Amino acid sequence: MSIIVSNVTKVYGEQKALDDVSFQVNKGEILGFLGPNGAGKSTMMKIITTYIPPTEGTVSVVGFDCMENSMDVRRNVGYLPEHNPLYLDMFVKEYLSFIAGLHKLQDKQKRVDEMIGLTGLDREQHKKIGALSKGYRQRVGLAQALIHNPDVIILDEPTSGLDPNQLADIRELIRTIGKEKTLMFSTHIMQEVEAICDRVVIINRGKIVADGKAEDLANQQKRGFTIEVEFDKEFDINSLRNINGVKKVRSLKGNSFELIYEGEADIRPDIFKLAVDKQATVLTINRKELKLEEVFQQLTR
Ligand code: ADP
Ligand code: MG
């Protein structure tokens, strides 16, 4: 086991940020740590990386206790903090050499060059960090996290604030890194988890609310469906809300609606009947199973 979190509670003043949290990360695994803003993700990651102590409970990383053997933990962990603090006035290569120096690496320059190659910074290596786009700054942050060749990598919201192209590149890079290392990354976006990893721990208000394979989690939940329906004219939203089993109705563009309902039944015939009653015509209707995204919403509402 690479990371073992046992009954961790963290209290900041009056605020309980983590409440009796336990989970483990297996060697070689890519784990998504998913939760809405304020759930406690960054707090958990700061504890795992020994930057702050837990109020109660224990954490160990590759067999070292985060409180007792924090220096050993740091040697074995690479960490990209949420607000990736970089020295904007430093050149990319200069900064990475500086980090390599902090780790007292042998063969500093060789290692810096390897990291530049791995993270795709070749063409940016002589630029100032301040001149780089957010996506490239994130690569510098990843290079910094990997340079001492740690077994465990902790990335706090590594893809937040990136444009779609940068996002695809950084996801790809995370998958590549994850082939060799134990990797845990946090996100508040469900799609990130589906795109990058197969196991997910979901945290909400400081408590773990789900832990498992993404697809199993979707199956464990109450079965449900979404239906998108478009009418030819304005339609009374409340009449849709009154259909048996319907939990939520949202009005979309034009005369379209999205219904969410729980259960196995197919309620499309009810919608057709209702349309006839109201002298409206159904133009399109589409029924889909609830995806992991909705599971996440159910768990963290
Ligand atoms: P996340 O990373 O999931 O958004 P955080 O771990 O940053 O969540 O925060 C969890 C909770 O703890 C939030 O309610 C936040 O306001 C609170 N919190 C985080 N850091 C501090 C701090 N240094 N002092 C007081 N409260 C904090
Ligand atoms: Mg955070």
Side-chain angles (χ1 to χ4, degrees):
M1 211 53 74
S2 284
I3 305 176
I4 304 176
V5 175
S6 309
N7 308 102
V8 165
T9 292
K10 177 72 186 180
V11 182
Y12 294 112
E14 306 263 285
Q15 167 90 39
K16 203 177 237 186
L18 295 172
D19 187 359
D20 198 22
V21 168
S22 300
F23 64 90
Q24 305 190 339
V25 190
N26 303 310
K27 188 167 161 48
E29 189 170 43
I30 302 187
L31 177 88
F33 193 46
L34 175 68
N37 287 326
K41 303 182 295 297
S42 296
T43 300
M44 189 69 247
M45 291 182 145
K46 287 177 197 161
I47 293 174
I48 295 172
T49 52
T50 78
Y51 285 87
I52 58 173
T55 309
E56 278 174 58
T58 57
V59 178
S60 77
V61 178
V62 295
F64 295 110
D65 185 277
C66 287
M67 300 280 280
E68 315 263 303
N69 315 106
S70 63
M71 290 327 279
D72 294 306
V73 171
R74 286 192 190 203
R75 247 189 315 110
N76 286 283
V77 170
Y79 175 39
L80 176 64
E82 187 169 20
H83 302 291
N84 186 12
L86 295 169
Y87 296 96
L88 300 184
D89 272 340
M90 274 182 141
F91 294 94
V92 170
K93 210 165 175 176
E94 179 193 12
Y95 171 71
L96 292 176
S97 303
F98 165 68
I99 299 291
L102 292 183
H103 288 295
K104 303 193 171 62
L105 298 184
Q106 310 277 316
D107 242 349
K108 229 168 64 168
Q109 223 40 61
K110 181 165 163 272
R111 195 62 195 151
V112 168
D113 290 337
E114 281 171 9
M115 288 304 102
I116 285 172
L118 175 69
T119 56
L121 281 165
D122 311 75
R123 295 202 302 166
E124 321 290 325
Q125 60 180 300
H126 300 298
K127 291 189 183 166
K128 274 197 175 177
I129 293 173
L132 301 181
S133 67
K134 170 96 194 191
Y136 278 94
R137 287 185 196 185
Q138 231 29 0
R139 290 170 194 254
V140 175
L142 286 169
Q144 166 275 132
L146 293 166
I147 200 159
H148 55 302
N149 198 22
D151 287 333
V152 176
I153 312 289
I154 307 283
L155 309 175
D156 196 354
E157 307 234 9
T159 58
S160 83
L162 301 182
D163 73 29
N165 289 332
Q166 297 171 337
L167 194 70
D169 290 348
I170 296 293
R171 279 179 182 170
E172 185 57 41
L173 193 49
I174 292 173
R175 280 191 291 260
T176 306
I177 297 165
K179 284 188 187 136
E180 316 250 304
K181 311 275 182 186
T182 302
L183 192 151
M184 173 178 177
F185 75 96
S186 68
T187 176
H188 60 279
I189 301 160
M190 187 61 244
Q191 286 85 336
E192 285 302 309
V193 170
E194 287 177 319
I196 300 177
C197 61
D198 53 19
R199 199 178 134 226
V200 55
V201 167
I202 304 181
I203 184 168
N204 189 38
R205 297 192 193 158
K207 285 186 200 277
I208 303 296
V209 292
D211 179 345
K213 284 197 169 169
E215 53 184 63
D216 294 345
L217 290 181
N219 293 334
Q220 273 164 25
Q221 297 306 304
K222 279 195 191 134
R223 268 174 79 80
F225 294 87
T226 55
I227 287 186
E228 255 186 55
V229 55
E230 182 184 5
F231 300 100
D232 65 332
K233 54 169 100 154
E234 266 183 53
F235 204 85
D236 171 24
I237 192 168
N238 287 318
S239 63
L240 294 169
R241 290 195 172 115
N242 289 335
I243 297 173
N244 211 0
V246 170
K247 294 282 157 208
K248 214 160 96 182
V249 183
R250 200 155 66 90
S251 115
L252 306 174
K253 262 203 326 239
N255 302 312
S256 298
F257 298 89
E258 182 191 70
L259 289 72
I260 294 186
Y261 75 98
E262 252 171 43
E264 299 280 342
D266 190 353
I267 58 165
R268 283 174 297 183
D270 304 272
I271 297 171
F272 277 100
K273 278 183 212 139
L274 190 66
V276 172
D277 283 351
K278 306 258 174 204
Q279 294 175 350
T281 303
V282 173
L283 297 179
T284 59
I285 190 161
N286 209 330
R287 177 177 182 258
K288 287 185 306 210
E289 238 173 295
L290 278 183
K291 293 196 308 275
L292 194 57
E293 173 153 18
E294 283 98 3
V295 172
F296 174 52
Q297 284 167 4
Q298 282 179 13
L299 288 169
T300 60
R301 194 143 44 208

